[in-house]
Amino acid sequence: MPPSIHPVDLVTALRQKRLTPAIVFLTSRRACDEAMQAFEQDQAILPPARQQAIATVLDQVIAQFPSIADHPLLETVKRIGVAAHHAGHLPSWKIAVEELMRQGCLDAVFATTTLAAGVDFPARTVVLTQSSVRKTKDFTDLTISEVQQLAGRAGRRGKDLVGFAIVTPSPYIDLSVITKGLTGQPEPIDSQFVITYPMVLNLLKAHPLEQIQPILAKSFAQFQLNQRAETLERKLDLLHEQMKPYGPRVCTDWITQWQIFDHARKQKAHRAHIRRKEPPEVTARLHFLTPGRVVGLPKGRGVVLRQYRSRGQRSPMVTVLRPGGAITECPVGIITQILDRVFEFEEAPMYPWCTPKSLDDLSRELAELPARIPVLPILVQDEQESIPESAIAQTLDDFPCPTCPSRPACQKDHATALKLRQEIQRHTKAIQALRTSLWHRFQAKVEVLQQFGYLTSTAHLTEDGEWARLIRIDHSLLITELIRAEAFSGIEPQLLAGVMASIAHDDDRPGAFPRPSPGLSSLLWQVRRLAEALAPHEDPPLLRADVAALTEKWVGDPTLTWIGLCKLTTMAEGDIYRLLARTLEYLSQLHALKTTHPGLAETADRAIAVLRRGVLEELP
């Protein structure tokens, strides 16, 4: 693969071919900043008239957002007519770049893929230099929707008859991904509806419990679950048709009768130990762990190749194909999710439990799986269906099977009939789970709120529930429990702001930060202990002390300037802004508790007043 085209050479070629203005999508923030640094040494400058037009637009934006007057890229943008746009910049700078682009002042903008969605930012040309994007801690291929979002920025309505999408040579590009993205159908929309504790409290505030299920049934999330249930119902109808030849014989339920007889016969012959009883959540998953099922694991995903029991402990196990072709043996208990995707493949009786061609196909299909796959909801029952011990203990003489005229047919058909019946049971349970999934999630949240005293046994709001419903943010249960424990009683505004920042922040990107004060460290220790105790009911936040210390400095020292704050950390300006903006949002929720918790509301109000200064005053 040839090296990437130098940014200056790329923009020069675009200008010569009259393909400007252009958006050049790069792999990272650093790549965008390095592209801008390459132009600092470039001798080519814009004509005076173009420079004056850019300066005029920038003056108008600076009048509204004074913070960008000293931006380090300002002179480069005026001189060269190119800019960078990514999440590490302040919102005010991104607004300035967008305005310059809208008025036709720029020839190129170097941006990350975050620019592709949600911003009215068209250009004549789009340049793709990548086929993957960084998500959380790893790079994943762009989806069809993402590629089409990127390419869709090409062409300005009313200005261009044709838009151009250019793919440049790069070590970070896979043409098959781009081709698939430009020619394929977008991935289906997947509902992101999540039932939260504040939602439960506010719904029960407005409606009685018996009216909630019909409300949830009208949601888009339930509509999608119903569609998946209808697909399974069609498969279930086919299974019932296949099951008809194996209807009642001498015994009405001959499948169970033969299963008990065969089990007792084998137990007597081999003196096998009775299998130990697994936890209900493990037993509930076993029906779904058929070969080809895609499952979630603690690290990544995999495809089930076979299900078996270990020789010593007789524990349920699965053989899983992981990304990259690795085949591992895993206890069923470590599987985190049963995903709604099953691959067909040709099984084999020996390792690797499938044919070589099937193994290659499965590895490819696993690598091409989209980032988001619907999770199959599993209903865990307290009592699992099993063969009664009293039946197993019967002697062989108690069964009619040895002398039954249907014995040869039962022995021949049992394996197929049992597999069909298990498939029917599995599909039936999956359909039931899909139809009632949202309602069961709602009920689970209700039970937790009743356990903590926010709801009565009849699902009415208690006195604590009345004010807790006003906390409509992430980690609401942790925050309300901290308030009830009086963890914030009498603390200074900077400590309250620091704790809220640590709860609000969800990025584990490393960097250099100031050290927290002893008071903040002690308070965060208490918060961390409570978060760990609540982990079964709510995912704990990161609770980073270094991030909390940055907010503590900003609120604790009103004379600290924005530039001074940025010098205290390696965090990008845009990230600092988002941290403080989210902290403001969390503090505003506490400020709403003026009636029930006036002291806390006053402390939050003081923190908000100091926190909202400088750059944070410019945007609503």
Side-chain angles (χ1 to χ4, degrees):
M1 175 66 70
S4 303
I5 299 176
H6 192 276
V8 176
D9 296 337
L10 176 61
V11 173
T12 301
L14 292 172
R15 284 168 171 165
Q16 291 173 350
K17 300 295 183 180
R18 297 184 180 180
L19 293 174
T20 57
I23 303 174
V24 182
F25 287 107
L26 301 177
T27 55
S28 63
R29 300 179 186 182
R30 177 182 293 181
C32 296
D33 294 337
E34 289 175 350
M36 289 300 298
Q37 290 172 8
F39 281 92
E40 293 178 0
Q41 308 300 325
D42 187 27
Q43 300 301 317
I45 61 174
L46 295 176
R50 287 277 310 275
Q51 293 190 48
Q52 182 57 45
I54 293 174
T56 300
V57 175
L58 285 174
D59 289 341
Q60 295 172 355
V61 179
I62 289 172
Q64 187 176 1
F65 306 109
S67 63
I68 65 173
D70 299 322
H71 199 282
L73 294 178
L74 207 60
E75 293 304 318
T76 303
V77 171
K78 291 180 182 177
R79 182 170 59 87
I80 305 297
V82 298
H85 184 294
H86 58 70
H89 289 139
L90 287 172
S92 52
W93 173 255
K94 291 190 285 187
I95 290 173
V97 173
E98 292 162 16
E99 187 61 28
L100 287 168
M101 197 70 168
R102 269 192 285 270
Q103 298 198 26
C105 297
L106 299 179
D107 288 332
V109 172
F110 296 97
T112 56
T113 55
T114 53
L115 179 63
V119 180
D120 182 15
F121 202 92
R124 188 178 192 194
T125 304
V126 164
V127 180
L128 303 179
T129 67
Q130 64 186 104
S131 60
S132 59
V133 63
R134 184 180 180 87
K135 294 179 180 178
T136 60
K137 295 183 179 181
D138 201 2
F139 281 90
T140 59
D141 287 341
L142 293 168
T143 65
I144 294 175
S145 297
E146 288 169 338
V147 173
Q148 293 181 357
Q149 280 279 2
L150 298 177
R153 294 295 168 182
R156 298 166 296 175
R157 180 174 294 179
K159 293 183 179 181
D160 301 315
L161 295 178
V162 178
F164 299 89
I166 299 175
V167 181
T168 65
S170 168
Y172 310 104
I173 204 156
D174 182 345
L175 287 179
S176 64
V177 174
I178 301 298
T179 302
K180 182 180 177 182
L182 294 174
T183 59
Q185 293 295 322
E187 292 82 8
I189 297 173
D190 187 24
S191 172
Q192 300 300 304
F193 180 66
V194 177
I195 294 178
T196 63
Y197 293 112
M199 178 193 298
V200 172
L201 290 172
N202 283 284
L203 277 174
L204 290 173
K205 173 69 175 177
H207 306 277
L209 183 62
E210 58 269 17
Q211 293 181 8
I212 302 299
Q213 191 169 10
I215 293 174
L216 295 176
K218 296 177 182 178
S219 67
F220 178 61
Q222 188 59 56
F223 170 76
Q224 286 195 311
L225 292 171
N226 290 342
Q227 284 188 316
R228 289 158 58 191
E230 289 166 6
T231 301
L232 291 179
E233 284 170 349
R234 288 192 289 270
K235 293 181 180 179
L236 186 61
D237 291 339
L238 293 175
L239 289 170
H240 280 301
E241 286 295 322
Q242 297 174 32
M243 192 67 180
K244 283 183 178 179
Y246 307 105
R249 295 178 178 174
V250 174
C251 300
T252 304
D253 187 4
W254 69 270
I255 299 175
T256 300
Q257 182 74 354
W258 180 266
Q259 186 179 10
I260 296 172
F261 168 72
D262 194 47
H263 185 86
R265 183 181 61 175
K266 289 178 180 178
Q267 187 181 44
K268 183 175 182 180
H270 303 287
R271 297 182 180 179
H273 296 290
I274 298 176
R275 294 172 181 173
R276 66 180 186 180
K277 190 174 182 181
E278 289 83 23
E281 60 272 12
V282 172
T283 307
R285 294 176 190 161
L286 293 178
H287 291 286
F288 300 90
L289 297 178
T290 52
R293 170 71 66 183
V294 181
V295 296
L297 301 166
K299 293 184 179 180
R301 296 186 290 202
V303 177
V304 175
L305 298 178
R306 65 165 180 156
Q307 183 189 139
Y308 66 101
R309 287 184 177 270
S310 61
R311 288 186 178 180
Q313 298 295 324
R314 307 297 296 167
S315 302
M317 304 282 291
V318 287
T319 303
V320 176
L321 172 65
R322 293 176 178 263
I327 298 176
T328 59
E329 313 295 329
C330 306
V332 172
I334 74 166
I335 292 175
T336 58
Q337 293 176 324
I338 307 292
L339 302 179
D340 192 11
R341 185 69 61 88
V342 178
F343 293 133
E344 298 292 336
F345 70 93
E346 188 175 351
E347 298 181 46
M350 298 178 63
Y351 182 89
W353 316 112
C354 62
T355 62
K357 183 180 183 304
S358 293
L359 186 63
D360 293 339
D361 292 341
L362 284 175
S363 298
R364 176 178 50 77
E365 291 172 332
L366 184 59
E368 294 177 354
L369 279 175
R372 293 189 297 269
I373 300 177
V375 176
L376 199 63
I378 306 297
L379 293 181
V380 179
Q381 300 178 355
D382 292 334
E383 295 182 0
Q384 300 295 328
E385 297 179 4
S386 60
I387 300 174
E389 291 187 13
S390 58
I392 295 175
Q394 294 180 46
T395 63
L396 297 181
D397 295 336
D398 294 331
F399 293 97
C401 300
T403 59
C404 179
S406 296
R407 175 176 177 174
C410 293
Q411 189 167 4
K412 176 184 175 183
D413 298 338
H414 179 261
T416 303
L418 179 61
K419 186 174 181 179
L420 282 173
R421 189 172 74 171
Q422 288 174 341
E423 284 289 301
I424 290 173
Q425 291 174 344
R426 181 170 63 85
H427 279 68
T428 302
K429 289 183 178 181
I431 291 167
Q432 180 188 5
L434 289 167
R435 294 289 189 189
T436 60
S437 175
L438 286 184
W439 176 237
H440 281 293
R441 289 182 225 167
F442 185 89
Q443 288 179 311
K445 288 287 192 292
V446 168
E447 290 174 2
V448 173
L449 291 170
Q450 288 173 332
Q451 176 185 340
F452 283 90
Y454 296 103
L455 290 174
T456 66
S457 58
T458 55
H460 290 86
L461 272 67
T462 63
E463 185 177 342
D464 285 339
E466 290 288 347
W467 61 261
R469 70 183 181 85
L470 302 177
I471 307 298
R472 302 184 180 96
I473 46 182
D474 294 339
H475 310 293
S476 60
L477 184 61
L478 171 61
I479 294 173
T480 55
E481 284 299 290
L482 285 169
I483 295 172
R484 293 173 72 184
E486 299 185 353
F488 302 137
S489 178
I491 66 171
E492 295 297 320
Q494 62 266 27
L495 296 184
L496 180 62
V499 171
M500 290 297 108
S502 70
I503 295 175
H505 189 68
D506 55 4
D507 189 354
D508 61 354
R509 187 175 302 176
F513 296 87
R515 294 177 62 86
S517 66
L520 180 59
S521 297
S522 176
L523 184 56
L524 282 174
W525 180 78
Q526 299 177 41
V527 175
R528 193 169 287 109
R529 285 189 61 188
L530 182 56
E532 291 171 356
L534 294 175
H537 313 294
E538 183 180 69
D539 291 336
L542 290 177
L543 293 176
R544 289 182 55 172
D546 49 5
V547 170
L550 191 67
T551 307
E552 180 189 29
K553 291 285 186 183
W554 180 249
V555 177
D557 184 4
T559 64
L560 183 63
T561 64
W562 181 260
I563 300 298
L565 180 67
C566 293
K567 289 180 180 179
L568 294 176
T569 176
T570 56
M571 185 186 285
E573 277 189 307
D575 295 331
I576 298 174
Y577 176 88
R578 280 189 297 279
L579 169 67
L580 297 181
R582 288 203 71 187
T583 304
L584 274 171
E585 179 188 0
Y586 277 51
L587 289 170
S588 66
Q589 299 280 311
L590 302 182
H591 182 249
L593 304 179
K594 290 181 285 188
T595 303
T596 56
H597 300 82
L600 176 60
E602 182 187 357
T603 304
D605 186 47
R606 290 164 56 196
I608 290 171
V610 181
L611 198 154
R612 192 175 177 80
R613 68 180 192 272
V615 172
L616 288 122
E617 282 185 307
E618 295 180 351
L619 292 169

